[in-house]
Amino acid sequence: MTYDVASIIASDAFKKAQFILREQHDLLVEQIIELTEIPAPPFKEERRARAYEQKFHDLGLEDVGRDDIGNVLGVRRGRGNGQMIAVAAHLDTVFPEGTDCSVRREGTKLFAPGVGDDTRGLAVLLAFIRALDGAGIETEQDLLFVGDVGEEGKGDLRGVRHLFTEGKYRHQIAGFFTVDGLELEKVTTTAVGSYRYRVAFRGPGGHSLAAFGTVNPAYALGTLLEGMSRFEVPEEPRTTYCASTFGGGTSVNAIPEEVWAEIDLRSEKQEELDRIDAQLHEQIERAVAKENERADTSNGPITADVKRIGDRPAGGTPHDTRIVQAAFAALPAFGFEPTTGSSSTDANIPMSLGVPAIRLGSGGTGGRAHSVDEWIDVEPEESLRGLYAGLATILGTAGMAQDA
Amino acid sequence: MTYDVASIIASDAFKKAQFILREQHDLLVEQIIELTEIPAPPFKEERRARAYEQKFHDLGLEDVGRDDIGNVLGVRRGRGNGQMIAVAAHLDTVFPEGTDCSVRREGTKLFAPGVGDDTRGLAVLLAFIRALDGAGIETEQDLLFVGDVGEEGKGDLRGVRHLFTEGKYRHQIAGFFTVDGLELEKVTTTAVGSYRYRVAFRGPGGHSLAAFGTVNPAYALGTLLEGMSRFEVPEEPRTTYCASTFGGGTSVNAIPEEVWAEIDLRSEKQEELDRIDAQLHEQIERAVAKENERADTSNGPITADVKRIGDRPAGGTPHDTRIVQAAFAALPAFGFEPTTGSSSTDANIPMSLGVPAIRLGSGGTGGRAHSVDEWIDVEPEESLRGLYAGLATILGTAGMAQDA
């Protein structure tokens, strides 16, 4: 059994796995197209999940099924003691129901919403399983393959959160890969945490002329926004805030009864996230108090209703962990120059819990993710280079039997 | 010929007119119901206008027709030199297309959207014409009866504005009544002017994390609102401002490209309206400059797009004018205790142009105007008292031939 990436890459078994990945690259492309064309809007991943589950079955994984939240799970047993390395890609896309998901092909380029984020990732997991099986590779730790729900936006990482808080393997997962996005050189080892809010200020409303002088929730919103623009945040750890979407009021000649804003707070460090979170709450209170002091509350005061609509914990994976070391050994072997980076992905959850985790790209190139013009290039040489590096990283983390 | 209200009320002819109003009160109620049930949403008054035009025809008015903007006009000639007293009610309601306008009757109460504002007014004009004709009353000045469009909301008084700026009688109208709402005791002699705006702040947008530091139009809006809350306005002449409706932004994880607000400014005096208007424009400029100074404009600065969506001039009718004097003589004769008041009605236009004008109620009682629960009570005694007072006021303004 070895965890040494150089030895793994040098082995005949790994070479055979590479051969299979190359031989079956067309099948990878076919499966990218097939899965991309099954829409998976936020909270509506089920159709794609069913298709993906069937593929896990067909590949002969064990314990294939969907958990209570809708994640597709399948186990490839190792030799070891039942500890697991999870390898996940997310089923959901950002695109709403009704978006045309048909794939247009131009040469080696595929154009479609979600084709790279993260449908290529889903198909790459299947390619890995075929290569491991075809090369007869045994790992030390079990590999838990996961097609998870709810990575994007309001999904709020609910699939992987469930996996680590309620899922039946939660105590066994010792390492976690999210194969998400294309790009491999930047290995995500820092989880940007975020809190998201819907803040609604409410008041009694009234006619703009007849009730003039009455508290107006719009001015409380104004105080909140004006105050937010003066929030101080560190550059390191990177910490940000954004007042994003707005609404409220019914008519130009009426004091609004409600105005609302959605707000996004982020930080690479949980302490900073909590610090700016406290600033926001203080500013909301100040805004309410100021308007109630300024104007007439005899028909009722301004109140604030603060709903947390997103909660992604910050966290990080130390650089001396096996998973990061494996990536930094495997990537250069295939011509990549790895650096570490921060982002907000499914890996936030394990990182926040102290489970070593990284985000790894699925390889190839592309662009315009989260837009309907999203595209990837599946030109085989570049695409395969990414697959080799990814598989070597996984094997360097889960351990490979040397007699294989 | 007399303009003396006491003489008019004492005349046999006026008594005959009262008799006819009483005799035909049921017809008034029928016509209120008939007209209420023809929907007249903002900018879609045509169906009701056609029906109203037909009634002017049937009553034998002269020069019946619709002008270019959609007002229904009809003339009842006087003896005089062609000067006209206009008596108007508005065709439009605040209710959008598809609102159920059927009238529910409970005893003397009628329930329906728009039944009082201003459909009773429209029907009362018809009752006045019948009473004048039936009593053989001749006036000195021509009476120009008007069912006008666009009084409510975004209609922005376009019907009466047209009447006084483009209409063929614009040089002849020497006095103007808008018979609007029910209540008679408060005679509107001051026109509350208003400017309404849609202010949109725009910027380059961007990802809430990746583009953090970029200018955000939400903070410009915040500065505008916070500044508005500190605007100073006099109590006399009554001057008000209101930030009313809001929107903008596309996603919680994106810096908005546009946020907007609708704003209402009002004053009883044009100078004060213009003063607060200047304050608003200054504050918008300050908000833009402040955000462009605070944050990164390398992808583009914040700009403001300020659209005036409403413009109702302020104005007033001096209390020593014949029209106000007539109201203050006629109302007490029928038990009303008149006071003067201010509001924003079709009378704004003539008042701003120096044409003596008042708003007069159509009589009766009711409530919940501008809501779908709107109702009026057509209990005959109270309803008739209003009709008598209204007709006497009109005759005291237009002059009544004494040999009638």
Side-chain angles (χ1 to χ4, degrees):
Chain A
M1 187 63 52
T2 184
Y3 290 91
D4 179 64
V5 169
S7 310
I8 289 168
I9 292 173
S11 69
D12 287 346
F14 189 79
K15 289 200 168 66
K16 187 156 185 203
Q18 285 180 277
F19 176 81
I20 293 162
L21 288 171
R22 200 178 316 125
E23 282 280 300
Q24 300 189 355
H25 191 263
D26 284 353
L27 177 56
L28 169 68
V29 174
E30 270 168 41
Q31 291 188 324
I32 293 171
I33 295 170
E34 180 192 346
L35 290 168
T36 300
E37 292 187 339
I38 304 170
F43 297 93
K44 294 186 175 153
E45 300 96 341
E46 211 207 324
R47 261 188 70 202
R48 187 181 286 189
R50 265 187 278 129
Y52 202 55
E53 184 182 3
Q54 186 58 50
K55 295 203 184 298
F56 277 7
H57 268 301
D58 296 346
L59 287 168
L61 293 182
E62 284 180 35
D63 281 345
V64 171
R66 269 177 287 160
D67 66 14
D68 292 344
I69 202 106
N71 298 316
V72 178
L73 305 177
V75 178
R76 188 173 186 278
R77 292 285 170 214
R79 283 194 180 173
N81 56 7
Q83 276 211 329
M84 290 178 148
I85 301 297
V87 184
H90 64 85
L91 291 160
D92 58 314
T93 72
V94 296
F95 301 98
E97 234 174 344
T99 306
D100 179 3
C101 292
S102 53
V103 177
R104 179 166 56 87
R105 190 165 181 166
E106 290 181 12
T108 57
K109 284 190 182 168
L110 307 180
F111 295 79
V115 66
D117 181 13
D118 186 26
T119 322
R120 181 181 156 102
L122 292 168
V124 162
L125 264 51
L126 304 175
F128 286 164
I129 298 165
R130 286 194 302 270
L132 292 167
D133 289 351
I137 292 174
E138 232 178 337
T139 53
E140 172 66 14
Q141 287 167 314
D142 294 350
L143 293 176
L144 174 64
F145 288 94
V146 184
D148 62 85
V149 297
E151 195 272 342
E152 300 284 4
K154 292 186 179 168
D156 208 28
L157 313 182
R158 74 182 192 289
V160 173
R161 194 186 307 266
H162 180 88
L163 192 71
F164 280 94
T165 55
E166 321 250 338
K168 66 174 173 176
Y169 302 119
R170 67 185 183 279
H171 298 303
Q172 285 152 266
I173 303 172
F176 180 89
F177 289 92
T178 177
V179 180
D180 191 2
L182 308 174
E183 192 251 350
L184 277 146
E185 300 208 319
K186 198 169 120 185
V187 177
T188 302
T189 56
T190 300
V192 177
S194 61
Y195 292 139
R196 287 163 176 181
Y197 291 98
R198 191 181 196 279
V199 180
F201 293 103
R202 300 202 180 104
H207 192 274
S208 63
L209 176 70
F212 179 69
T214 300
V215 285
N216 182 336
Y219 305 137
L221 178 64
T223 299
L224 171 61
L225 294 174
E226 203 278 328
M228 276 185 73
S229 76
R230 289 181 285 101
F231 279 3
E232 283 181 17
V233 289
E235 291 207 14
E236 287 290 329
R238 188 162 171 77
T239 304
T240 67
Y241 57 87
C242 185
S244 306
T245 68
F246 301 87
T250 51
S251 168
V252 68
N253 59 1
I255 299 168
E257 291 177 11
E258 177 182 301
V259 301
W260 58 266
E262 287 184 348
I263 291 165
D264 178 73
L265 307 177
R266 306 205 194 197
S267 181
E268 292 175 357
K269 271 255 161 54
Q270 191 63 41
E271 304 91 270
E272 285 298 330
L273 185 58
D274 288 335
R275 203 183 58 78
I276 193 168
D277 188 47
Q279 267 188 281
L280 178 71
H281 283 82
E282 269 168 40
Q283 187 63 27
I284 292 168
E285 277 178 38
R286 193 173 306 138
V288 167
K290 188 176 158 198
E291 181 60 9
N292 282 333
E293 197 165 303
R294 187 193 71 86
D296 179 14
T297 58
S298 59
N299 289 313
I302 299 296
T303 58
D305 177 21
V306 183
K307 269 207 185 65
R308 195 179 270 187
I309 57 172
D311 177 0
R312 300 177 176 220
T317 299
H319 295 183
D320 59 0
T321 49
R322 184 180 285 157
I323 195 168
V324 177
Q325 294 292 316
F328 274 68
L331 287 164
F334 298 98
F336 296 105
E337 294 176 21
T339 59
T340 56
S342 65
S343 62
S344 178
T345 68
D346 274 335
N348 279 46
I349 300 293
M351 285 184 193
S352 75
L353 298 170
V355 176
I358 61 174
R359 181 205 66 84
L360 210 57
S362 67
T365 57
R368 306 284 288 138
H370 288 206
S371 91
V372 290
D373 305 320
E374 186 173 353
W375 62 276
I376 62 170
D377 194 335
V378 292
E379 185 281 311
E381 282 318 302
E382 181 61 23
S383 170
L384 285 163
R385 205 161 66 92
L387 298 182
Y388 303 158
L391 188 61
T393 303
I394 292 166
L395 289 172
T397 305
M400 184 173 103
Q402 282 182 297
D403 54 313
Chain B
M1 187 63 51
T2 183
Y3 292 90
D4 179 64
V5 170
S7 311
I8 289 168
I9 292 172
S11 69
D12 287 344
F14 188 80
K15 290 200 167 69
K16 185 154 188 209
Q18 286 181 278
F19 176 81
I20 293 163
L21 288 171
R22 198 179 318 124
E23 281 281 301
Q24 301 190 354
H25 192 264
D26 284 352
L27 177 56
L28 169 68
V29 175
E30 269 169 44
Q31 291 188 325
I32 292 171
I33 295 171
E34 178 191 347
L35 290 168
T36 299
E37 292 187 338
I38 303 171
F43 297 93
K44 293 184 176 157
E45 300 96 339
E46 213 207 323
R47 261 189 69 204
R48 186 180 286 190
R50 263 187 279 131
Y52 201 56
E53 185 183 1
Q54 187 58 51
K55 297 205 181 296
F56 277 7
H57 268 300
D58 295 347
L59 287 169
L61 293 182
E62 284 180 35
D63 280 345
V64 171
R66 268 178 288 160
D67 65 16
D68 291 345
I69 201 109
N71 297 317
V72 178
L73 305 178
V75 178
R76 187 172 188 280
R77 294 285 169 210
R79 284 193 179 174
N81 56 8
Q83 275 210 330
M84 292 178 145
I85 301 298
V87 184
H90 64 85
L91 291 159
D92 58 314
T93 72
V94 297
F95 302 98
E97 234 173 343
T99 306
D100 179 2
C101 294
S102 53
V103 177
R104 179 166 56 87
R105 189 163 181 166
E106 289 180 13
T108 56
K109 283 189 185 169
L110 306 180
F111 295 79
V115 66
D117 182 12
D118 185 28
T119 322
R120 179 178 158 105
L122 292 168
V124 162
L125 263 51
L126 304 175
F128 286 163
I129 298 165
R130 287 193 300 271
L132 291 168
D133 289 350
I137 291 175
E138 230 177 340
T139 53
E140 171 67 13
Q141 286 166 315
D142 293 351
L143 294 177
L144 173 65
F145 288 94
V146 184
D148 62 86
V149 297
E151 194 272 340
E152 300 283 3
K154 292 187 178 167
D156 207 29
L157 313 183
R158 73 181 192 290
V160 172
R161 194 185 307 266
H162 179 88
L163 192 70
F164 279 94
T165 56
E166 322 250 336
K168 66 175 174 175
Y169 301 120
R170 68 188 184 277
H171 299 303
Q172 286 156 267
I173 303 172
F176 180 91
F177 289 92
T178 176
V179 179
D180 191 3
L182 308 174
E183 190 252 353
L184 276 146
E185 298 207 319
K186 196 169 119 187
V187 177
T188 302
T189 56
T190 300
V192 177
S194 61
Y195 291 139
R196 287 163 175 180
Y197 290 97
R198 188 180 198 278
V199 180
F201 292 103
R202 302 204 178 103
H207 192 273
S208 62
L209 179 69
F212 179 69
T214 301
V215 285
N216 182 337
Y219 305 137
L221 177 64
T223 299
L224 171 61
L225 294 174
E226 203 279 330
M228 276 184 74
S229 76
R230 289 181 285 102
F231 280 2
E232 283 179 16
V233 289
E235 291 208 15
E236 288 287 332
R238 187 162 171 78
T239 304
T240 67
Y241 57 87
C242 185
S244 306
T245 68
F246 300 87
T250 51
S251 168
V252 68
N253 58 2
I255 300 168
E257 292 178 10
E258 178 181 301
V259 301
W260 58 266
E262 287 185 347
I263 291 166
D264 177 76
L265 306 177
R266 306 204 194 198
S267 181
E268 292 175 357
K269 269 258 159 58
Q270 191 63 38
E271 304 91 91
E272 286 299 329
L273 184 58
D274 288 334
R275 203 183 59 78
I276 193 169
D277 188 47
Q279 266 188 282
L280 178 71
H281 282 83
E282 269 167 42
Q283 187 64 27
I284 292 168
E285 276 179 39
R286 192 175 305 137
V288 168
K290 187 177 160 198
E291 180 60 9
N292 282 334
E293 198 165 305
R294 186 193 71 87
D296 180 13
T297 58
S298 58
N299 290 312
I302 298 297
T303 58
D305 177 21
V306 183
K307 268 204 185 67
R308 193 179 273 186
I309 56 174
D311 177 358
R312 298 177 177 221
T317 298
H319 295 184
D320 60 1
T321 49
R322 183 180 286 157
I323 193 168
V324 178
Q325 294 293 316
F328 274 69
L331 287 164
F334 299 98
F336 297 104
E337 292 176 23
T339 59
T340 56
S342 65
S343 61
S344 178
T345 68
D346 273 335
N348 279 45
I349 301 292
M351 285 184 192
S352 74
L353 297 169
V355 176
I358 61 174
R359 181 204 67 82
L360 209 57
S362 67
T365 57
R368 305 282 289 138
H370 289 206
S371 92
V372 291
D373 305 320
E374 186 173 353
W375 62 276
I376 62 172
D377 193 334
V378 292
E379 185 280 312
E381 281 319 301
E382 180 60 24
S383 172
L384 285 163
R385 203 163 66 93
L387 297 182
Y388 302 158
L391 187 62
T393 304
I394 292 165
L395 290 172
T397 306
M400 185 172 105
Q402 284 183 295
D403 55 310

